Amino acid sequence: MNGAGQPFAHELEGLRAHAPLRGLREIGSPQGATVELIGKTLVNFSSNDYLGLANDERLRSAATAAIEQFGIGAGSSRLICGTQSPHLALERSLAKWKGTPAALAFSSGYAAAVGTLSAIADKNDVVVLDKLSHASLIDGARLSGATIRGFPHNHLGKLESHLEWAKCELPGARTIIVTESVFSMDGDRTPLRQIVELKSRFGALLFLDESHAVGVIGEAGRGLATEENLAGAIDVQMGTLGKALGVCGGYACGSVTLIQLLINRARPFFFSTAPPPAMAAAARAAIQFLQTPEGEERRRALWQNISLLHQLLECDQRNMPASAIFPMIIGDEQQALDLSRALRDEGFLVPAICYPIVARGRARLRVSLTAAHTAEQIRALAEVMRRLQPKAASL
């Protein structure tokens, strides 16, 4: 076929030459501890639905009630006529839950990260971020036009030197430190207390992405900042509604002036149709659930599962498990893909994560635990993984 018929074939071949091409998996069932994939039931260890809320009756009821009252679509951007009562109720609940004066909901976590960072920084500022920060944070920093300095993962010494450089070389610039609470591909935590100390010493701002911490860590699942009693020192708390909260969307929490700035300057916010009101209502139901005794029990069940897998995989017993994410580092991309297929044949959905999502030579299987998994499912996974790949090692 000529070039006109395949206008992107060259680009696709270029991608294929550097990494295995990725495809989509069709799931024919609700999210849960098991899913239907191509007519086969698999135990699902790939989902970020950490608390098993994506198909929870509470959220379904809240969404259904909102559909009955407000319909399906919001009809417009938030600044035109798309701000409906469920959006504002969600934002009030987010602010109260996170202990901040105000909050703003976005259509996705990606939009929240890109929109917030590109709104609070400009060409006169400096953004210093962990090199393993999510792509959305990197993209937001780039779009801001700020000077960007990356520091090796959790390397406090290099972070300090970048802050010193910014203070000396660009004394009038605003400096923003960007990091995650829990890193999505490694499952480890940021040294938040030390970063807050550096932030205070150098007069910087701190942007904390709590996407993989909310619902999992801290009282009522409020995140790492709450667990370490540092929420008041965080200038911007960002997160997602699509992981432990079981819905979709993202948010930013902080001061009233921050939220006012985002409403007027965050392009992904005001150039996008507002999220469906039903999704806002469901997310608010998830936040309310987390603050109940039953919600806390669900979170404890998740941590029991985390501890069990930590023991079964014989992780370094000197370290406590940090999150619901267990990376099994394979290294070679084809070996990781082969192991993922072998696990699927055994009845487990554990996708391989390869370049460009992770660095070359760092291909892995990413096991995600949820509160919905049973001890039997976790034991079966650990046994099969030991049999198929004895050299796989969790970070």
Side-chain angles (χ1 to χ4, degrees):
M1 189 174 289
N2 60 33
Q6 294 287 346
F8 304 111
H10 178 72
E11 290 86 346
L12 195 60
E13 285 306 312
L15 290 174
R16 196 193 311 272
H18 290 93
L21 292 181
R22 291 166 285 172
L24 302 177
R25 301 178 182 87
E26 181 178 353
I27 302 295
S29 66
Q31 282 293 326
T34 61
V35 292
E36 295 293 328
L37 178 65
I38 317 176
K40 183 176 182 179
T41 300
L42 299 176
V43 182
N44 182 17
F45 284 102
S46 66
S47 175
N48 295 324
D49 181 27
Y50 299 127
L51 295 176
L53 290 176
N55 192 37
D56 188 90
E57 183 57 36
R58 299 169 191 82
L59 276 64
R60 290 161 63 107
S61 296
T64 300
I67 288 172
E68 291 295 328
Q69 184 174 0
F70 296 97
I72 299 295
S76 181
S77 71
R78 292 284 303 274
L79 284 181
I80 304 300
C81 65
T83 295
Q84 295 176 281
S85 298
H87 299 120
L88 297 178
L90 169 61
E91 288 162 352
R92 288 192 295 269
S93 292
L94 278 165
K96 183 177 180 181
W97 179 52
K98 294 292 286 181
T100 60
L104 190 67
F106 288 76
S107 58
S108 70
Y110 186 94
V114 170
T116 302
L117 262 177
S118 61
I120 65 174
D122 61 29
K123 64 181 181 180
N124 299 310
D125 300 325
V126 178
V127 174
V128 184
L129 78 171
D130 191 297
K131 287 186 176 180
L132 291 191
S133 294
H134 192 269
S136 60
L137 301 174
I138 296 171
D139 290 351
R142 288 172 174 168
L143 284 171
S144 74
T147 299
I148 300 173
R149 290 290 184 270
F151 59 94
H153 181 48
N154 282 344
H155 194 305
L156 296 170
K158 194 63 175 179
L159 169 59
E160 182 176 6
S161 69
H162 282 327
L163 294 173
E164 189 68 56
W165 173 87
K167 181 179 180 181
C168 295
E169 299 297 324
L170 299 168
R174 170 186 290 163
T175 301
I176 304 169
I177 302 170
V178 177
T179 189
E180 300 183 38
S181 292
V182 172
F183 288 84
S184 59
M185 289 299 127
D186 291 271
D188 59 341
R189 302 184 186 189
T190 194
L192 186 58
R193 188 164 298 279
Q194 294 93 321
I195 289 177
V196 166
E197 291 172 356
L198 288 172
K199 171 239 179 183
S200 299
R201 194 197 323 162
F202 286 93
L205 299 178
L206 178 54
F207 180 114
L208 183 66
D209 180 353
E210 293 258 48
S211 292
H212 290 275
V214 293
V216 178
I217 296 171
E219 181 188 3
R222 290 183 174 92
L224 184 63
T226 294
E227 181 169 271
E228 298 199 6
N229 197 29
L230 294 170
I234 314 300
D235 299 284
V236 182
Q237 296 187 53
M238 187 227 107
T240 177
L241 306 171
K243 294 181 171 57
L245 298 184
V247 193
C248 64
Y251 65 84
C253 292
S255 66
V256 171
T257 53
L258 167 69
I259 301 309
Q260 289 176 336
L261 177 65
L262 296 182
I263 289 171
N264 289 279
R265 196 172 177 184
R267 292 167 67 86
F269 174 77
F270 56 73
F271 281 123
S272 297
T273 296
M279 295 299 97
R284 182 168 180 256
I287 293 169
Q288 292 172 329
F289 170 70
L290 280 173
Q291 298 173 79
T292 66
E294 190 176 358
E296 189 62 20
E297 181 59 33
R298 183 78 63 91
R299 200 170 67 87
R300 281 196 294 267
L302 170 62
W303 276 97
Q304 288 173 358
N305 286 344
I306 292 170
S307 297
L308 175 60
L309 186 59
H310 188 266
Q311 296 167 10
L312 292 172
L313 295 180
E314 299 178 350
C315 301
D316 189 342
Q317 296 303 313
R318 295 170 297 178
N319 299 318
M320 294 295 293
S323 71
I325 301 165
F326 286 75
M328 308 299 296
I329 307 302
I330 307 301
D332 180 79
E333 292 177 349
Q334 191 58 53
Q335 288 182 12
L337 290 166
D338 291 343
L339 181 54
S340 177
R341 293 190 189 99
L343 282 166
R344 188 173 62 188
D345 292 341
E346 295 275 354
F348 300 96
L349 179 57
V350 185
I353 309 296
C354 302
Y355 177 85
I357 298 177
V358 294
R360 294 188 187 279
R362 298 288 290 172
R364 66 198 62 193
L365 301 185
R366 180 184 181 273
V367 177
S368 297
L369 283 179
T370 75
H373 286 117
T374 66
E376 291 73 19
Q377 290 169 334
I378 296 169
R379 292 182 188 279
L381 173 70
E383 174 58 34
V384 171
M385 293 192 79
R386 282 195 296 265
R387 173 161 50 84
L388 292 178
Q389 178 52 267
K391 293 182 180 180
S394 176
L395 282 178

